[in-house]
Amino acid sequence: CGDKARHGGHLYVNREHGAFMCHRCQESGSFFTLQTKLGDTPEPAQRALASKSFVWKDLIEICQDTLIEQPDVLRYLREERGFTGKTIGKYRLGYAPKDLIDQLRGTWDIADLRNAGLMSEKDYPLFWDRIMIPYYQRAQVVTVRGKQVGGNVLGPRDTSIHLFGADNLRGHKEVFICEGE
């Protein structure tokens, strides 16, 4: 960081998604922020795709942990939607708490959250108090959706539409599409 006044301190980088924290100057941010600080500017498309996927992965983990604490939402998923606990776990459904953005800000900067489509142009959180549904392709998160209990579904800004459960289609000759995309 160039802070010569302090002795000691370490730069920590999360191996899974690259977020960093300098324990000398206390600066933190995403892998791409660190990459830029070190003089290696990532390609815009590379940064956008990777950053979204990593942010969504963290979002899903937070939301999964929060769902356990929401008996009304679990009841809705089980009784009104007919999901079993096994299905909820397999598809990693979760619940977006009101402080979701604050929790994500522990790792990600506001530009990463905007890029992932989780914030409006005026930095208003788009996902809270919703059931979060991750969409995967080959075990990588390609988008997320947020559904209000008994209400509408919202997708992130500036994100492509994907077929939910597309990986389940491999090897099947006949497929039934029920709703959605």
Side-chain angles (χ1 to χ4, degrees):
C1 66
D3 185 350
K4 307 255 189 260
R6 296 184 182 156
H7 297 286
H10 300 281
L11 175 68
Y12 290 91
V13 179
N14 183 304
R15 290 183 190 187
E16 190 172 314
H17 53 67
F20 77 96
M21 169 73 174
C22 176
H23 286 272
R24 180 176 282 181
C25 71
Q26 305 304 309
E27 186 169 352
S28 63
S30 70
F31 171 73
F32 298 104
T33 303
L34 177 61
Q35 192 176 8
T36 302
K37 286 188 173 300
L38 296 174
D40 185 18
T41 307
E43 295 290 325
Q46 172 196 20
R47 176 184 164 85
L49 178 61
S51 180
K52 284 180 184 182
S53 183
F54 289 132
V55 171
W56 291 333
K57 186 174 182 292
D58 284 353
L59 172 136
I60 292 162
E61 288 177 14
I62 291 168
C63 292
Q64 276 189 292
D65 291 343
T66 306
L67 180 60
I68 296 166
E69 303 163 0
Q70 302 296 319
D72 292 340
V73 176
L74 283 168
R75 189 172 18 267
Y76 168 77
L77 288 171
R78 288 185 174 134
E79 295 174 11
E80 293 187 41
R81 301 300 294 183
F83 295 149
T84 64
K86 184 177 178 179
T87 300
I88 292 168
K90 176 181 177 180
Y91 292 103
R92 305 194 69 199
L93 302 182
Y95 178 79
K98 290 185 178 182
D99 68 343
L100 175 64
I101 296 301
D102 292 335
Q103 290 186 52
L104 288 168
R105 288 292 308 268
T107 303
W108 302 101
D109 59 35
I110 199 75
D112 293 314
L113 299 177
R114 270 191 225 112
N115 179 55
L118 304 180
M119 307 289 290
S120 72
E121 294 85 11
K122 297 180 180 179
D123 292 338
Y124 182 79
L126 297 177
F127 294 97
W128 58 275
D129 196 27
R130 289 179 181 266
I131 298 165
M132 295 306 296
I133 307 161
Y135 285 55
Y136 291 91
Q137 283 184 353
R138 293 182 174 90
Q140 181 178 0
V141 182
V142 292
T143 194
V144 294
R145 296 292 180 109
K147 179 178 177 19
Q148 288 180 322
V149 173
N152 66 347
V153 177
L154 177 66
R157 293 181 313 104
D158 303 325
T159 303
S160 301
I161 293 175
H162 295 274
L163 184 63
F164 179 82
D167 288 346
N168 294 331
L169 302 176
R170 291 180 195 359
H172 296 281
K173 293 182 179 185
E174 187 174 30
V175 176
F176 296 92
I177 299 177
C178 302
E179 62 179 285
E181 290 81 18

